[in-house]
Amino acid sequence: MKRRACMLAVALTPFVFDATAQTWPSRPITIIVPQSAGSYSDNMIRPVAAALQELLGQPVVIDNKPGANGIIGADAAARAKPDGYTLLLSASSVFVSNAGLYKKLAYDPIKDFRSVAGLSKTAMMFVARPDFPARSVDEMLAQARNAGKPLNVAVGSSTARLALSLLSSASGVPFNTVPYKGSPQAITDLLGGVVPVAVVDMASGTAFVKSGRVNAIATTDSERNAFLPRVPTLAERYPGATLVSWTGLSAPAGTPDEAVRVLHEAVRKSLADPDVRQRLATSSIAPSLMTPDALDRAIREDTPRWTTLMRAAGIQAE
C-alpha cells in the first residue's frame, strides 16, 4: 500500500523546470542583438532574458551589435563557438530581408544557425511629424506627388525599407529612402525635423503615437493592431499590401541538442510568465512562441516570398 501511495505521489507531482538537473548551462550566456538599444528586438529580448536568467540559474547578458542591417551582429553570432553560450536574437529583417537584399552574406541563415524558438511577430508603421500636412495614406501620397521630388522617408531596418517599397509598388509613387541603424534613430531625426515621414516597427513607434509626438498613418499588419486600433492598415487602401515580421532566438550551427532543448523550454516558460507579458505589453509587443521547426519553416517560406516582393518593388540585390 505504501509503495502504491509513493508511486501515486510521484505521478501527481507537477513538472518543475530545474536548471540544476541539467549539465547545461554552467556559465553565463550571451545574446547578441544585431540592432541598437531601444529597438524592437532589444525591447523584445530584455524581459525574456531576465526570465531566462532566473530559470536557468546563470547570468544572461545582452550584447548589442547594430549596423549593416543586422549583418554585423549575425556574423559575430555565426562565428561563435557552438556551445549554447552565445545566441542570436534573430529576426526576419536579418535572416529573410538580407537574403534578398545582398548577393552574398557573411552568414547563411539556414546553414550557419539552428533555431531555438520564435519569440514574437509584428508589423511596420508609417509615422509623420505633427506638422506634416497628411493624416492618411492618400494624403501622404498626394503630398509626395505634389512635392516635385521624391518624399524623404526614414527607414531603420531592411524590413522598414521593404514596407516603404511595398507602398511605392502598390501606389506607383516613388520615395527617397533615408537609411538609419534602427527605428530609434529614425524617430529621433523625425522629431528633429530632418525627415517628415518614417517607417518604424510598431513597438518603437506606438508610445510616440499615443503621446501625440508623431502621427500614425498606417500599419502593414493584416488587421488593425490591438495597441493602436484606430490606425488603419495599408491593406485597407491596397488589399494584399501586408508585411508581418518576426523575432526569434537562434544558435550557431552545431549547438548541442541539450542546450537547444533546455533553452526552448525556458523560452516557453518565459513567454507564458504574466510579468514578462506585461513588460512586453508596455512596449507594445505581443509574444508569439514558435518551435524550432516552425521557425525553420518561417525562414524557408518567407525568404522567397519577401525576395519576390523586393524584385516586384524594384529592389535588386547589392
Side-chain angles (χ1 to χ4, degrees), residues 218-295:
T219 76
T220 64
D221 214 333
S222 56
E223 57 186 24
R224 294 200 179 193
N225 189 277
F227 296 113
L228 292 173
R230 294 185 178 181
V231 179
T233 66
L234 191 60
E236 290 176 34
R237 178 64 178 84
Y238 297 102
T242 62
L243 189 69
V244 178
S245 59
W246 47 260
T247 64
L249 198 61
S250 300
T255 298
D257 291 342
E258 180 190 14
V260 172
R261 178 183 61 79
V262 174
L263 274 168
H264 182 81
E265 178 63 14
V267 168
R268 184 187 68 79
K269 287 181 174 292
S270 297
L271 294 183
D273 185 284
D275 290 337
V276 172
R277 297 181 74 89
Q278 179 57 44
R279 288 185 62 187
L280 291 175
T282 301
S283 297
S284 305
I285 298 173
S288 180
L289 179 68
M290 282 190 282
T291 64
D293 286 345
L295 183 53

Side-chain angles (χ1 to χ4, degrees), residues 167-209:
L167 175 58
S168 180
S169 178
S171 64
V173 176
F175 296 95
N176 182 43
T177 302
V178 184
Y180 287 84
K181 285 187 175 181
S183 289
Q185 291 85 350
I187 292 175
T188 295
D189 269 11
L190 179 73
L191 296 175
V194 177
V195 291
V197 178
V199 184
V200 300
D201 59 80
M202 292 291 298
S204 297
T206 296
F208 291 94
V209 174

Side-chain angles (χ1 to χ4, degrees), residues 35 69 124 154-161 178-186 199-200:
Q35 290 86 19
N69 285 336
M124 306 306 293
V155 298
S157 68
S158 54
T159 308
R161 180 181 175 184
V178 184
Y180 287 84
K181 285 187 175 181
S183 289
Q185 291 85 350
V199 184
V200 300

